[in-house]
Amino acid sequence: MEEKRKEIIIHEIKKWRESQLLPRTYCDFLLGLYSEGNLPEDESAAIRPSAVLKKAGRTLALLIGFITVLIFFIYFTQFPPPLQLAVLASIFLISSGAGFYYRKREPLYMHIYILLATFISFILLVVTADLFFGDDRFFLGLGIVFLCLIWAVSGKFFKLPYLYIAGGTGIVLLIGFMLAEQL
């Protein structure tokens, strides 16, 4: 194919990609096909899935490290329980806010922050139940059922299946453990 014709086709495909007439992956494929893999560096490095996954992996590793430090903070330090509750509540609010902030901007980060908020809410519930009710399992169980219901309703409302499944599974498991304890 002659060079002038290739340039015209490549120019049109770029317009299609900018105006989103075709999905980005199709346009990238066609650009690679017509340019024979010789795209300028700035265009071929648009948004690579491996870069997104690498960035998400780093964020997830950072959050796992953060959760580990948080668990050590809660269970292995001599801070007064009200201070521990305040720290957990603030982390829960920050991660929930970040989840809502990234909801439209970066959906992958939204899911990571929602998972962090879910995990922190469970730890917050356990610490609060232990602080106020001691060894009384009834209030802890009631709190877990209430929290799982919140997760299930939130999952259904925001169309997050993992929250819906976690809430339902948590309720079923708690009921199973309670029945097994009665036997």
Side-chain angles (χ1 to χ4, degrees):
M1 189 179 279
E2 62 185 73
E3 288 301 315
K4 183 68 174 164
R5 190 170 178 176
K6 280 185 186 180
E7 288 178 27
I8 292 172
I9 292 173
I10 289 173
H11 182 67
E12 287 300 315
I13 294 171
K14 288 178 185 177
K15 283 185 181 180
W16 295 346
R17 182 170 64 179
E18 289 172 10
S19 62
Q20 297 178 347
L21 289 174
L22 285 177
R24 186 173 190 86
T25 54
Y26 292 168
C27 293
D28 291 343
F29 172 75
L30 290 172
L31 283 172
L33 184 67
Y34 283 105
S35 67
E36 298 172 358
N38 296 325
L39 281 176
E41 190 61 35
D42 60 329
E43 293 179 26
S44 63
I47 295 180
R48 295 184 181 145
S50 61
V52 171
L53 289 176
K54 190 182 290 187
K55 188 175 179 183
R58 276 185 266 149
T59 304
L60 190 60
L62 187 70
L63 286 175
I64 289 172
F66 179 72
I67 289 172
T68 305
V69 169
L70 185 66
I71 289 172
F72 281 116
F73 173 77
I74 297 298
Y75 289 108
F76 300 113
T77 61
Q78 295 298 319
F79 290 114
L83 178 63
Q84 291 179 352
L85 286 177
V87 168
L88 281 173
S90 62
I91 292 171
F92 171 74
L93 291 173
I94 289 170
S95 60
S96 297
F100 280 110
Y101 175 77
Y102 284 114
R103 191 170 75 178
K104 298 286 184 192
R105 293 170 181 84
E106 287 283 336
L108 184 64
Y109 286 156
M110 176 204 64
H111 295 296
I112 291 172
Y113 283 114
I114 297 263
L115 287 173
L116 177 65
T118 305
F119 186 74
I120 296 298
S121 68
F122 184 75
I123 292 175
L124 184 62
L125 173 77
V126 171
V127 170
T128 304
D130 185 46
L131 177 66
F132 290 113
F133 303 111
D135 291 334
D136 192 2
R137 289 184 166 180
F138 174 75
F139 290 108
L140 178 62
L142 189 66
I144 289 174
V145 167
F146 183 67
L147 184 64
C148 288
L149 281 174
I150 290 173
W151 291 349
V153 169
S154 298
K156 197 71 163 168
F157 182 74
F158 291 112
K159 295 180 179 98
L160 299 171
Y162 54 86
L163 276 182
Y164 183 72
I165 292 169
T169 305
I171 292 171
V172 169
L173 285 174
L174 183 68
I175 291 170
F177 283 131
M178 292 172 75
L179 288 175
E181 192 173 278
Q182 297 297 322
L183 295 176

